[in-house]
Amino acid sequence: MSRGDNSGKGKTSRKQEGKGKSKSNANDKGKSNYGNKPYVRGKALAKKASNAAPKKLSDSDEIRLNKYVANSGVCSRRDADLYIKTGSVWVNGKPITEMGYKVKLTDEVKFDGRLITPHKKEYVLLNKPKGFVTSTSPEKTKTVMDLVANASKSVLKPVGRLERNTTGLLLFTNDVDLEKKLTHHKSGVRKIFHVELERNLKFEDLQKIEKGIKLEEGFINVDEISYIEGASKNEIGVQLQSAKNGIIHKLFEHLNYSVVKLDRVIFAGLTKKDLPRGHWRILTEQEVINLRMM
C-alpha cells in the first residue's frame, strides 16, 4: 500500500500502490486553516457561491409537482411531466395527472408507490483533520459539522464515523438510502487506513493480524495488511471492509502497540487526491453513480 492518495482501483497489494512518503500539506497545521472550505480537484479554492444551495422552502410554500419530483432525484423535470401524465405520481393518496399542479412540503407525495421528498440529494467529501468529533449534535467541543457548515443548506449527515484524532475521508449526504447502504454491516465498503505506530511492527505480529485476532468484539479479520513501501516498519497500510469504530486501535493495542496516527485514505472508491486536510468538495456525478452501483 502506498502512503500517497491513490485512485484505489483494483486489488491492493504490498507492492502495487505507489512508493514514497507524501509531503504533508500546509493546511494540516493550524486551526485557522480549517472549516467551510470548498475545494475543486486540481484547482484553487472554489467560490462558495458556486456551491450554494437554492433557497430553502418553508412548509407553506407551494411548488410545481414536476419540480418536486425532479428535486427528489428520481428523474429530470421533463421526465417528471411524463410520469405525472401516466399517473405514476400520487399526492395525499390520489394520482395526479394535471400539468402545473402545485404541492406543499407537508403533502405526501409518492412516485411508483415510494415516498419521496423534494430535497435535492447532495454529497460532500471532507478530508477530516484531528480534533473534531463525528457528531451532528451541538457540543462544546468541535464537530465535523462545523467543517461543512457552508457546504449545503440541506441537512447533511456523516456516513459512518471517524474518531476525534483519526484523520481522512468522511462523506456527508442527505441521501438516506445511500447512507444506510454504505453503513450496513454487509455493505462490503472498501476502506484503507494508513497507520503509524510508536515502534516498528514485528513481522510475526503482522502475520498474526493477517490470520485474524480474537478480541472482545469478536474475531477480527482484515482484508489486507502490509508495510508501506518506502517508509519505516512502523507505518502500516490496513484494508478492511465492515468494522466497528475504533477497531484498528484495539487490534494493535491487543499486540501491545500504540497507534500514533490513523488516516483513512480510501473510502468506497473515493480518495484524498487534491483534497487538502480540512477542506471539502462536492462529489462528481460519476462518483455518485459509482456509489449507488456498489
Side-chain angles (χ1 to χ4, degrees):
M1 295 185 181
S2 71
R3 183 176 175 80
D5 300 326
N6 299 312
S7 63
K9 294 180 181 179
K11 185 178 179 181
T12 307
S13 67
R14 297 183 187 180
K15 297 183 180 180
Q16 170 180 353
E17 299 191 25
K19 297 181 179 180
K21 188 174 182 179
S22 62
K23 296 180 181 179
S24 61
N25 193 287
N27 290 305
D28 288 356
K29 298 179 181 180
K31 182 177 68 174
S32 62
N33 288 328
Y34 297 145
N36 306 328
K37 299 178 181 179
Y39 200 80
V40 176
R41 179 172 293 167
K43 298 182 180 180
L45 288 176
K47 296 179 180 179
K48 292 180 182 178
S50 64
N51 291 311
K55 182 181 177 182
K56 192 172 183 180
L57 296 170
S58 68
D59 289 348
S60 60
D61 287 335
E62 290 187 336
I63 61 173
R64 288 180 177 270
L65 183 56
N66 61 352
K67 182 178 180 180
Y68 188 109
V69 174
N71 285 356
S72 73
V74 298
C75 63
S76 67
R77 192 182 296 194
R78 181 177 295 179
D79 288 340
D81 285 332
L82 298 177
Y83 288 120
I84 291 170
K85 287 180 180 179
T86 58
S88 298
V89 182
W90 290 49
V91 178
N92 298 327
K94 297 180 180 180
I96 300 297
T97 57
E98 175 189 338
M99 292 295 100
Y101 188 87
K102 291 186 177 182
V103 294
K104 297 180 180 179
L105 295 187
T106 51
D107 290 331
E108 181 185 78
V109 180
K110 290 186 176 182
F111 177 84
D112 279 345
R114 180 167 60 92
L115 189 66
I116 59 175
T117 62
H119 303 295
K120 182 181 179 181
K121 302 292 191 300
E122 297 187 62
Y123 310 85
V124 174
L125 185 65
L126 170 72
N127 187 350
K128 177 187 173 297
K130 276 188 176 183
F132 291 81
V133 297
T134 305
S135 172
T136 56
S137 303
E139 297 186 15
K140 294 181 181 179
T141 186
K142 298 176 292 186
T143 75
V144 292
M145 303 310 298
D146 299 327
L147 297 172
V148 296
N150 288 349
S152 171
K153 291 185 179 180
S154 298
V155 179
L156 303 181
K157 288 180 59 179
V159 177
R161 295 181 60 194
L162 289 179
E163 294 179 305
R164 179 195 296 270
N165 289 325
T166 299
T167 60
L169 297 177
L170 188 59
L171 180 65
F172 296 78
T173 186
N174 57 355
D175 187 337
V176 178
D177 292 334
L178 182 65
E179 188 264 338
K180 288 180 179 179
K181 177 181 179 180
L182 295 179
T183 54
H184 193 275
H185 68 282
K186 292 184 179 180
S187 65
V189 172
R190 180 172 177 247
K191 308 165 191 172
I192 293 182
F193 292 83
H194 284 173
V195 186
E196 183 178 333
L197 305 175
E198 97 289 358
R199 59 190 174 93
N200 289 349
L201 178 66
K202 295 179 181 179
F203 183 68
E204 54 265 35
D205 289 332
L206 183 144
Q207 289 181 312
K208 288 179 183 178
I209 297 175
E210 282 182 327
K211 295 176 182 178
I213 291 180
K214 187 176 182 181
L215 303 177
E216 290 182 2
E217 290 77 9
F219 193 78
I220 305 301
N221 276 310
V222 301
D223 299 295
E224 188 170 341
I225 179 170
S226 66
Y227 297 113
I228 295 176
E229 270 192 73
S232 61
K233 291 188 177 181
N234 71 324
E235 296 188 47
I236 316 298
V238 179
Q239 177 180 321
L240 64 157
Q241 294 181 352
S242 299
K244 294 180 180 178
N245 192 44
I247 204 66
I248 291 181
H249 279 91
K250 294 176 182 178
L251 195 62
F252 285 101
E253 287 170 1
H254 180 78
L255 297 172
N256 299 315
Y257 294 90
S258 295
V259 175
V260 177
K261 293 181 181 178
L262 185 60
D263 187 33
R264 185 156 73 181
V265 297
I266 291 179
F267 175 76
L270 302 170
T271 77
K272 299 195 304 175
K273 184 178 180 182
D274 298 327
L275 185 62
R277 190 86 74 207
H279 288 68
W280 54 263
R281 68 172 178 82
I282 306 297
L283 292 195
T284 66
E285 183 178 348
Q286 186 59 54
E287 287 172 327
V288 174
I289 292 173
N290 293 343
L291 290 177
R292 288 174 175 168
M293 291 177 65
M294 292 186 68

